[in-house]
Amino acid sequence: MSQDVSKTKTHGQTPKSTVKWYHVEFEADILVDTYAGLLSDQSIILAINSSFVDPLMQFEAQLKIIEISFQKLFSLPNLNRVKSMGKDPKDIEDIENLYKNIFNVYEDTLIILVSKDFYKIQILKEMTTWMNQNEQYLQERAMLIITRVLMFASKRAKKCPSIDAPCLGVMAAELSLLCAHEDPLITQQASSGMNYVLYIAMCQNSNAKKPKSIRLSDGETDNLHVTSSDFELLYKTTQGGRNKIAQSVGQILLPHLLTDFVFTLLKKLSSPDTDTAFEAASLLKLTLDYHAQKITMVSKIVDDIYEQLSMDSSHAMKAVLLNVISLLTRTSPKKVIFQLLEFPVPVDKALLLMWQAVSTESSVAFQVLKTILSVLKGKPGEVEGTLVERRRFSLDATNMMPVAASQALCTFLLVNSYRKVVAKLFPEFLMALMLQLFYCSQLLKDTGQDRPLYVRDGLKALLNCSGLKEVNEALEKKNFWNQFAQDMDHQYGIHFIAKTLSECNFPQFPETLHYVYKIAVKDSRRSEDTIVTIIFFTELLKNFFKESLPKEFFTPFRSWINDSNPSVSKMSLQKIASMAPVFSEIQNVSNLLLPILDAFLSKEHTVIIRAMLTLRNILSKLDKVIYSTVCDKIASSYCPLMDHVNGGVQCMAIRHFGDLLMDMSDYKWMLNHTILGGLVPLILFLESTELRIMKACRYTLTMCFSQLKWSTAYLLQEDNYDFESLVLSICNNLISSYESYIIDLISDTLGFLGSSRAFLKRGSIILVGYLGKSGEYLLLREEIDVMIEDSLSVEVQTGTILIHDLKPYMIVERVTREEDPVIAILAEKTHKLFKEIAYRIASSTVKQTLRRWVKVIRAKKLKPIYNLPNVIAIVEKKTVEDFVEMKDKESLLELTDEKSNVQVQKKESFFAT
């Protein structure tokens, strides 16, 4: 029949033959209507083809018309039934010709479209779908037209191999299924069509392997392009059933076309036609057996399998779907694993089956576990999903792949082949799960959701399959796993696991320590990773190095101490403190102490406090000889902190300075210059309003006086304490013992004059006055002028007013502004003092220099200058009006002079201020 059709194919009919049909009297009017309709449709289709309409819209319009024509055309009766309508041989002949011409018109239309635009070969792909929608369609006729159009397309592809045919993979899948059709005629046409499709694909794929021939003729050339005998050779190689088809498809189709082929067969597994589903399953398995490595859209295929398993748990092709997962895992383990980790947490039944299918591929166990490991090192919630997908329900749109990886690990570790591999990766998996313990507990604490137990289960599985059942049992006895399910502190959990491993002397200690050290010396992307590493690393060192520690192990601590993240710094300092006995025994301990001292410069006060505490822990265990080599550097580091804005830091620095002096009592001579350098803040903060700071200053000054051998400590006692008397005594000791330090002390004191705190401003005015009086023969005239004009100034709300400009009325004005008149009086006295010193200093530079170096005139011991209690008492008794009546500063200063008859009635009132 096919031969008859091919012989009678025409590309246009003569008017004479057309008129003849209308003179035939028979009851087959439907054929005439169909023929007329096809001619009309052909005209419209070709008209659209010649228009300037957008190509996509053009194709969609044409496809819609062609589909309507298809339904009309292939719903016609078969040829034998049409022939029975004729009354005589002449009628039968005319009816048969009309019948054949109807199909020829449809075929011609398709050929014209493909000749104009090869892309429209996709219409044939749609026809294979339409012909299966209704069993009453003339499927043999449809297949015949498809094959003929493909034959025409193959000839064109040979001439123009660069033409685009994106539907070849889908067409190959549809035709390969029809090759197993129960109708031998359809099977024959499908087989021919299949070969034409592969022929076209071979023309487009220059790397495709040609079918092997026994011998090429002399006229044939052995090249990568299609030769005259290629189609015959191809036809022979695909006649061996499914196996040959699967091999040929994989060898000839480009990867993206082969992916379409596989994806189409995958969709057919859900077909209600069991024969089609079975044939698709067989072809799919064979194709992946041979060519799974060429599949490009693995994640899409995995996703589709999950959808099918989720929609129907009793899917008839469940085993086939899971087998596809196994085959894809064999060649693309990373792609499969990453896609599976994208699915819901916790896993459902369908996903669990897919994980189990992956675990059956023992040949890729190492790659699978390495992929799981790489995901476990990630932070849940760190990367937001780019798409709002319905399956991301665990924590909104956050990345929960690490949590899913923990659960998947539990499945894999049940398989022996995977247990053997994970034993080689034990340290990496252990640390990765430690990170997840930290991350998950923290993340879910912030979101208020229940704590998942996948990390716990993963840890238990890792311990059991690594020969560490003893550790698991020890944790069980300590009720650790139950605490894990509750609100357990993540840092405590990491510490507890490391400690238990150490107590059980786990055999993997060497490689674990080596791995942890390796990641410790690397710069971590996340501070949380570093904290986990610090905790685990320290615990291993603490339990296995009781007396000494190799120097390379404290290298990471040096970088951690000064980490930009305060949490990392504090954690490292805390762990160093816990190992103080061990760290104090290492050689070149200064290499560790110096970074701790650098932490004193941190902007975070909690880091500074932790650094000071850690330092004291190490110093308390340190050998005194080694201690003496670093004591000066440490003492100097405390000095800047004695005036820290944070009271806790300041108090601790002052007290630790005193502790250091006590520790170094046998090395007094080494610290005298440092003590003198820190005297100013120690003296001034004796007047602090914070009791803890005042007590710390008294404690440390007691140590200082003992080191300097000054008999001044009795003035620090509560009963004898008087600030001015103490300053006077200190300055007298400086004159007799350390006169050369006075200039530096004056400079340090001037820095406190601008303080907003009244006690500091008042104390610094008194101290600078006594220091100036003590070192008057050491000062140059220029230095005195600077002190008078620039340094000795009092800040008020409206600006800066020099002391020598203060008049009684100015004091009254300051009182109305809640300024302290006591400070003004003390400042005026200091101004007067430096004026008197300036008068006694020669203006000659040579003479001044001689006075400084030769010290011909020695100063006598100082006497009280300010009589501070008297000043306070007068200010308390005088009113604003009393100050207004005083016309000049001299009358005011006379009231506070040492010779005044004013009696101090409440000396304690000074301390109260």
Side-chain angles (χ1 to χ4, degrees):
M1 182 178 68
S2 60
Q3 293 176 353
D4 294 337
V5 173
S6 61
K7 289 179 181 179
T8 57
K9 174 185 172 185
T10 61
H11 296 279
Q13 306 298 320
T14 62
K16 183 178 180 180
S17 61
T18 304
V19 173
K20 185 187 295 184
W21 297 330
Y22 288 95
H23 293 285
V24 178
E25 296 180 358
F26 61 100
E27 299 178 2
D29 294 340
I30 189 173
L31 296 179
V32 178
D33 293 339
T34 301
Y35 182 68
L38 283 176
L39 291 176
S40 175
D41 291 344
Q42 185 186 59
S43 300
I44 297 173
I45 291 170
L46 297 181
I48 295 174
N49 206 53
S50 302
S51 67
F52 295 99
V53 179
D54 177 80
L56 179 60
M57 296 178 62
Q58 181 187 109
F59 176 75
E60 290 176 349
Q62 290 174 331
L63 184 64
K64 187 175 182 179
I65 297 173
I66 291 172
E67 182 179 5
I68 295 172
S69 298
F70 179 92
Q71 294 170 353
K72 294 179 181 178
L73 179 62
F74 294 98
S75 297
L76 293 174
N78 58 39
L79 182 59
N80 292 332
R81 183 178 174 184
V82 170
K83 286 181 179 181
S84 65
M85 297 178 184
K87 297 179 181 179
D88 52 47
K90 185 65 175 175
D91 289 346
I92 294 173
E93 182 181 357
D94 290 340
I95 291 174
E96 184 176 358
N97 289 334
L98 176 61
Y99 188 83
K100 293 177 180 179
N101 284 328
I102 290 173
F103 290 98
N104 289 338
V105 170
Y106 192 85
E107 180 183 326
D108 288 348
T109 303
L110 296 178
I111 289 176
I112 294 171
L113 290 178
V114 173
S115 66
K116 297 290 185 181
D117 187 354
F118 200 83
Y119 179 83
K120 291 177 181 177
I121 196 176
Q122 293 185 91
I123 296 172
L124 302 181
K125 175 195 72 175
E126 300 298 331
M127 285 181 63
T128 59
T129 303
W130 301 335
M131 62 180 283
N132 290 318
Q133 290 176 350
N134 190 339
E135 294 181 357
Q136 302 301 318
Y137 284 157
L138 299 174
Q139 294 183 340
E140 296 177 17
R141 285 280 181 177
M143 277 305 309
L144 181 62
I145 292 176
I146 291 172
T147 303
R148 285 181 171 179
V149 177
L150 284 173
M151 181 176 63
F152 168 81
S154 66
K155 293 178 181 179
R156 187 165 180 228
K158 181 179 179 181
K159 296 178 181 179
C160 303
S162 60
I163 55 179
D164 183 27
C167 62
L168 293 180
V170 179
M171 285 198 64
E174 296 285 357
L175 292 173
S176 64
L177 294 175
L178 290 172
C179 286
H181 199 279
E182 58 185 7
D183 188 337
L185 294 177
I186 293 178
T187 299
Q188 181 183 359
Q189 294 298 331
S191 181
S192 297
M194 180 73 179
N195 283 280
Y196 286 123
V197 168
L198 294 179
Y199 189 93
I200 296 170
M202 186 185 297
C203 293
Q204 294 183 328
N205 185 4
S206 59
N207 295 321
K209 293 182 180 180
K210 287 175 51 179
K212 294 181 180 180
S213 60
I214 298 175
R215 182 177 180 180
L216 293 174
S217 62
D218 296 335
E220 295 174 343
T221 58
D222 188 10
N223 55 48
L224 294 177
H225 295 288
V226 181
T227 64
S228 58
S229 61
D230 281 342
F231 180 76
E232 295 177 1
L233 296 171
L234 180 64
Y235 186 83
K236 293 178 181 179
T237 58
T238 56
Q239 295 305 301
R242 304 188 194 105
N243 193 58
K244 289 292 185 180
I245 290 176
Q247 291 185 45
S248 300
V249 165
Q251 291 172 356
I252 296 173
L253 293 182
L254 292 168
H256 70 281
L257 298 177
L258 180 62
T259 301
D260 291 341
F261 179 85
V262 169
F263 201 80
T264 303
L265 293 178
L266 192 64
K267 291 291 186 183
K268 296 293 183 179
L269 296 180
S270 300
S271 173
D273 185 350
T274 55
D275 292 336
T276 300
F278 176 79
E279 185 64 25
S282 301
L283 279 171
L284 185 61
K285 183 180 182 303
L286 289 170
T287 303
L288 292 176
D289 272 335
Y290 292 124
H291 307 291
Q293 71 279 1
K294 290 183 65 176
I295 305 301
T296 58
M297 299 177 65
V298 173
S299 59
K300 185 178 179 181
I301 294 174
V302 173
D303 190 72
D304 183 77
I305 291 174
Y306 175 76
E307 295 291 340
Q308 292 195 44
L309 291 175
S310 298
M311 288 188 297
D312 185 5
S313 58
S314 60
H315 199 291
M317 292 292 171
K318 183 185 296 184
V320 177
L321 293 171
L322 296 177
N323 189 37
V324 171
I325 293 293
S326 299
L327 294 172
L328 291 175
T329 303
R330 184 183 302 170
T331 55
S332 305
K334 287 186 178 181
K335 294 179 181 179
V336 174
I337 296 300
F338 277 119
Q339 185 60 27
L340 290 177
L341 292 176
E342 282 282 353
F343 290 115
V345 175
V347 301
D348 53 21
K349 185 177 180 181
L351 189 54
L352 183 60
L353 289 173
M354 295 171 76
W355 280 121
Q356 291 172 351
V358 171
S359 68
T360 60
E361 285 299 321
S362 59
S363 61
V364 292
F366 183 80
Q367 294 94 315
V368 169
L369 288 178
K370 286 292 285 186
T371 306
I372 292 289
L373 183 60
S374 66
V375 175
L376 280 174
K377 293 178 181 179
K379 180 180 179 181
E382 185 177 50
V383 181
E384 292 187 357
T386 56
L387 299 176
V388 181
E389 300 179 68
R390 61 171 178 77
R391 61 174 190 255
R392 288 182 176 273
F393 62 83
S394 302
L395 282 175
D396 299 328
T398 54
N399 169 30
M400 292 301 291
M401 288 178 67
V403 180
S406 300
Q407 190 172 15
L409 186 62
C410 299
T411 301
F412 290 126
L413 294 185
L414 296 175
V415 182
N416 288 332
S417 57
Y418 281 80
R419 289 189 174 196
K420 294 177 181 178
V421 174
V422 83
K424 301 176 183 178
L425 301 171
F426 174 81
E428 296 182 60
F429 271 105
L430 180 63
M431 286 305 297
L433 290 171
M434 292 294 99
L435 293 175
Q436 291 310 311
L437 166 61
F438 187 102
Y439 293 144
C440 291
S441 57
Q442 190 65 34
L443 175 66
L444 295 169
K445 179 181 178 182
D446 295 340
T447 58
Q449 298 195 18
D450 294 333
R451 179 192 303 271
L453 301 180
Y454 313 132
V455 177
R456 181 196 69 177
D457 296 340
L459 278 169
K460 294 176 73 173
L462 178 66
L463 294 174
N464 288 330
C465 74
S466 302
L468 298 176
K469 291 183 179 180
E470 179 186 357
V471 177
N472 183 28
E473 292 171 358
L475 292 170
E476 192 79 51
K477 290 179 181 178
K478 296 175 182 179
N479 202 35
F480 174 78
W481 299 126
N482 290 334
Q483 294 180 58
F484 194 102
Q486 301 167 6
D487 190 18
M488 183 184 66
D489 179 67
H490 48 273
Q491 294 187 10
Y492 168 77
I494 295 165
H495 164 83
F496 200 87
I497 291 173
K499 183 178 180 181
T500 306
L501 283 166
S502 301
E503 290 174 349
C504 296
N505 294 316
F506 70 113
Q508 295 91 342
F509 168 74
E511 56 264 38
T512 302
L513 181 62
H514 180 268
Y515 175 74
V516 178
Y517 173 77
K518 180 180 176 181
I519 61 176
V521 296
K522 290 183 178 179
D523 292 330
S524 177
R525 183 168 59 93
R526 293 179 293 261
S527 58
E528 296 96 329
D529 293 23
T530 306
I531 290 175
V532 172
T533 304
I534 292 171
I535 297 172
F536 202 84
F537 185 54
T538 305
E539 199 58 41
L540 291 181
L541 296 178
K542 188 188 300 183
N543 287 278
F544 284 92
F545 297 93
K546 302 293 186 182
E547 297 179 355
S548 62
L549 186 69
K551 62 180 181 180
E552 60 268 17
F553 285 136
F554 70 80
T555 301
F557 286 98
R558 294 170 58 189
S559 60
W560 290 333
I561 290 171
N562 294 293
D563 193 271
S564 58
N565 188 303
S567 298
V568 174
S569 298
K570 287 187 287 185
M571 179 59 68
S572 62
L573 289 166
Q574 178 184 339
K575 293 303 179 182
I576 290 172
S578 69
M579 293 186 65
V582 177
F583 279 112
S584 62
E585 295 296 328
I586 62 177
Q587 295 180 350
N588 299 324
V589 70
S590 59
N591 291 337
L592 180 63
L593 295 181
L594 293 179
I596 297 176
L597 294 179
D598 291 339
F600 286 8
L601 304 176
S602 174
K603 296 180 180 179
E604 180 66 37
H605 73 274
T606 55
V607 173
I608 301 174
I609 291 174
R610 175 54 62 186
M612 287 192 286
L613 291 172
T614 300
L615 182 63
R616 283 306 304 166
N617 278 332
I618 294 178
L619 294 179
S620 64
K621 306 293 189 303
L622 199 61
D623 179 82
K624 295 301 181 185
V625 176
I626 299 176
Y627 195 162
S628 65
T629 61
V630 294
C631 66
D632 183 59
K633 177 69 176 177
I634 296 171
S636 300
S637 299
Y638 283 128
C639 292
L641 301 180
M642 293 181 185
D643 183 30
H644 199 274
V645 293
N646 181 272
V649 172
Q650 182 185 15
C651 182
M652 186 174 291
I654 293 172
R655 185 165 289 276
H656 283 191
F657 185 75
D659 293 337
L660 184 143
L661 297 179
M662 181 179 290
D663 294 341
M664 291 287 100
S665 58
D666 295 334
Y667 300 87
K668 298 178 181 180
W669 56 273
M670 298 181 64
L671 294 171
N672 284 352
H673 68 285
T674 305
I675 294 172
L676 293 167
L679 270 182
V680 171
L682 291 174
I683 295 170
L684 295 181
F685 281 98
L686 278 170
E687 297 290 282
S688 175
T689 55
E690 289 191 54
L691 183 61
R692 59 176 179 170
I693 295 176
M694 181 265 292
K695 288 184 175 181
C697 287
R698 288 190 179 186
Y699 166 77
T700 300
L701 279 174
T702 301
M703 298 295 106
C704 292
F705 296 157
S706 174
Q707 290 278 37
L708 298 172
K709 297 181 180 179
W710 292 351
S711 58
T712 310
Y714 74 96
L715 291 174
L716 293 171
Q717 297 175 3
E718 188 71 30
D719 295 338
N720 302 323
Y721 178 75
D722 178 81
F723 180 74
E724 187 175 357
S725 299
L726 180 65
V727 171
L728 177 62
S729 177
I730 291 172
C731 289
N732 282 328
N733 281 290
L734 287 171
I735 292 172
S736 62
S737 306
Y738 300 99
E739 196 174 32
S740 61
Y741 285 90
I742 291 177
I743 302 300
D744 292 335
L745 293 175
I746 291 174
S747 178
D748 293 344
T749 307
L750 292 176
F752 289 92
L753 284 174
S755 174
S756 60
R757 289 178 281 187
F759 77 87
L760 277 179
K761 189 177 294 185
R762 184 171 58 197
S764 60
I765 291 172
I766 294 173
L767 181 57
V768 79
Y770 277 108
L771 288 172
K773 186 68 175 175
S774 304
E776 61 179 303
Y777 297 111
L778 301 173
L779 296 170
L780 298 176
R781 177 60 181 266
E782 290 79 5
E783 294 172 336
I784 296 295
D785 291 341
V786 171
M787 294 177 192
I788 293 174
E789 299 299 330
D790 297 325
S791 301
L792 295 179
S793 61
V794 180
E795 295 181 4
V796 294
Q797 296 177 2
T798 58
T800 301
I801 301 175
L802 297 179
I803 292 176
H804 63 267
D805 291 331
L806 284 173
K807 300 292 190 293
Y809 68 84
M810 183 61 71
I811 297 177
V812 173
E813 183 181 354
R814 293 184 65 218
V815 170
T816 61
R817 297 183 190 180
E818 299 182 355
E819 292 290 344
D820 190 346
V822 173
I823 293 176
I825 295 171
L826 296 176
E828 191 58 60
K829 280 197 172 189
T830 303
H831 172 259
K832 180 180 178 181
L833 172 67
F834 279 105
K835 277 288 188 181
E836 292 173 353
I837 294 173
Y839 294 148
R840 292 195 292 271
I841 295 178
S843 59
S844 170
T845 304
V846 175
K847 290 182 179 180
Q848 293 177 44
T849 305
L850 289 173
R851 284 174 179 270
R852 170 168 288 188
W853 290 101
V854 179
K855 301 179 182 178
V856 176
I857 301 175
R858 297 290 296 175
K860 297 179 180 179
K861 282 194 173 185
L862 302 179
K863 294 182 180 181
I865 299 174
Y866 296 96
N867 293 302
L868 183 59
N870 286 357
V871 175
I872 296 172
I874 291 171
V875 171
E876 287 179 349
K877 290 183 178 182
K878 293 293 179 180
T879 63
V880 172
E881 290 76 11
D882 294 332
F883 288 118
V884 172
E885 291 176 359
M886 301 173 187
K887 301 302 182 181
D888 55 39
K889 60 185 179 183
E890 297 298 332
S891 59
L892 178 63
L893 293 177
E894 287 176 359
L895 291 174
T896 60
D897 193 82
E898 183 181 11
K899 298 177 181 180
S900 175
N901 293 324
V902 177
Q903 301 295 324
V904 180
Q905 298 179 0
K906 294 183 178 180
K907 182 178 180 181
E908 293 78 4
S909 64
F910 169 72
F911 298 105
T913 62

